[in-house]
Amino acid sequence: MRVQSLTLVAASAALLAPTTFPGAPLPPRPGPQVQLDPGHRHEAPPVRVGRSGTRIGPVPPSQAGPVPPPSGIRPGAEAGAGDGSKEARRHGPVHAADLLAKVRDCDPVSRGRYRSDAGAPADIPVCGTRDAVYWKADLDVDCDGRPGDHCNSGTDPHFTPATAYTRSDGRPLDAERLPYVVVPEPSDIWDHRETDVHGGSVAAVVHGDRVRYAVVGDVGPRDLIGEASYAAAESLGIPADPHGGGVASGVTYIVFKGSEVEPVEDKAAAEKAGERLAREFVDGE
């Protein structure tokens, strides 16, 4: 969870033109600090903190349509059918390097920039293409939702048994079992709904040479970004301890516009749709 930061992020005119991501990672952060009371301004240097604050959910089911069926080979792809290497790449898994090459530059869709944690610089834009939105940040572990052995009020001092989006039966998501990512609460900085991102949207999360697929499953503070579930962190090889785990930088989140896994808790469906959408994203113009 994250402590809600009340520092407002001003819109930057520089975001109107393509830019590049900050190159220098934030320094390693110590363990979490106590949650700030409403109205208290955080003055300390950047540290890893609980991030969830007050949730706005449960959110009503997304009105977006289902994930479209596989589109097959793109127009013009037949020309390369005789090239074995291209065919193998087209039908093989998408590699981290392929995805990172597609998101090397940034055409901002956010009107301002986000902080990775309360007190950190506001230097993270949300970028976009025709098919996806993406950002590069840290990963703080979200353990909210259904209590379990690793995610509960005893292991996470900021635990809350709710998620903004819920399972098909109305119960909270299970952070221990379901890889999901957290988007910021809609604000003047960015409203994810305006870019066709909703609960259940498919995401590719990249860390090092690993690519894992997840869904949008929770909503966090309006000025912070860079958070994913216990299961997502664990699948990426990132320490998943909600109290002191996570990683300070080097995580790329790519959310595919207009996509949706239904039911949202179907992990296998998210992986299948994610692999297809990632391949289309990498191979697209």
Side-chain angles (χ1 to χ4, degrees):
M1 297 181 61
R2 297 182 178 199
V3 173
Q4 176 73 52
S5 170
L6 301 181
T7 305
L8 298 178
V9 181
S12 171
L15 293 176
L16 297 178
T19 183
T20 55
F21 290 100
L26 294 176
R29 294 162 294 179
Q33 63 182 36
V34 296
Q35 186 169 4
L36 303 176
D37 294 328
H40 184 96
R41 182 177 295 275
H42 184 77
E43 303 291 350
V47 294
R48 185 182 184 282
V49 297
R51 299 165 55 118
S52 292
T54 302
R55 295 291 179 179
I56 65 171
V59 173
S62 171
Q63 299 301 312
V67 178
S71 57
I73 299 177
R74 292 177 175 273
E78 293 84 354
D83 188 328
S85 62
K86 289 183 178 179
E87 280 297 297
R89 183 179 62 188
R90 183 178 296 118
H91 298 291
V94 176
H95 298 292
D98 298 328
L99 285 168
L100 294 178
K102 294 290 290 187
V103 298
R104 182 177 292 114
D105 299 319
C106 177
D107 186 7
V109 296
S110 59
R111 292 178 287 272
R113 299 192 179 202
Y114 288 96
R115 305 175 189 277
S116 59
D117 291 293
D123 58 3
I124 304 172
V126 175
C127 314
T129 68
R130 179 190 63 186
D131 301 315
V133 296
Y134 52 93
W135 57 94
K136 301 182 181 183
D138 62 341
L139 189 151
D140 285 315
V141 178
D142 186 344
C143 236
D144 293 342
R146 181 181 179 182
D149 293 339
H150 303 286
C151 292
N152 54 66
S153 58
T155 61
D156 183 353
H158 306 293
F159 175 79
T160 180
T163 50
Y165 301 104
T166 60
R167 294 165 48 100
S168 54
D169 60 6
R171 293 186 296 172
L173 301 180
D174 188 339
E176 290 185 16
R177 298 180 180 274
L178 180 67
Y180 67 74
V181 301
V182 181
V183 294
E185 179 184 348
S187 71
D188 290 340
I189 304 174
W190 177 54
D191 185 339
H192 58 274
R193 300 168 299 185
E194 294 177 356
T195 49
D196 208 4
V197 171
H198 308 273
S201 289
V202 182
V205 189
V206 184
H207 176 63
D209 61 356
R210 295 191 183 190
V211 179
R212 297 293 184 266
Y213 298 105
V215 295
V216 173
D218 209 353
V219 172
R222 64 178 54 203
D223 63 343
L224 303 178
I225 203 166
E227 190 173 10
S229 69
Y230 181 101
E234 189 174 48
S235 71
L236 289 165
I238 294 172
D241 177 12
H243 186 72
V247 67
S249 63
V251 180
T252 300
Y253 304 78
I254 304 169
V255 184
F256 301 106
K257 296 179 180 178
S259 62
E260 184 178 12
V261 172
E262 190 176 359
V264 66
E265 67 268 19
D266 191 335
K267 179 180 176 182
E271 292 174 351
K272 183 176 180 180
E275 187 67 46
R276 175 178 61 82
L277 291 166
R279 173 54 62 196
E280 293 179 353
F281 182 64
V282 166
D283 289 346
E285 295 295 330

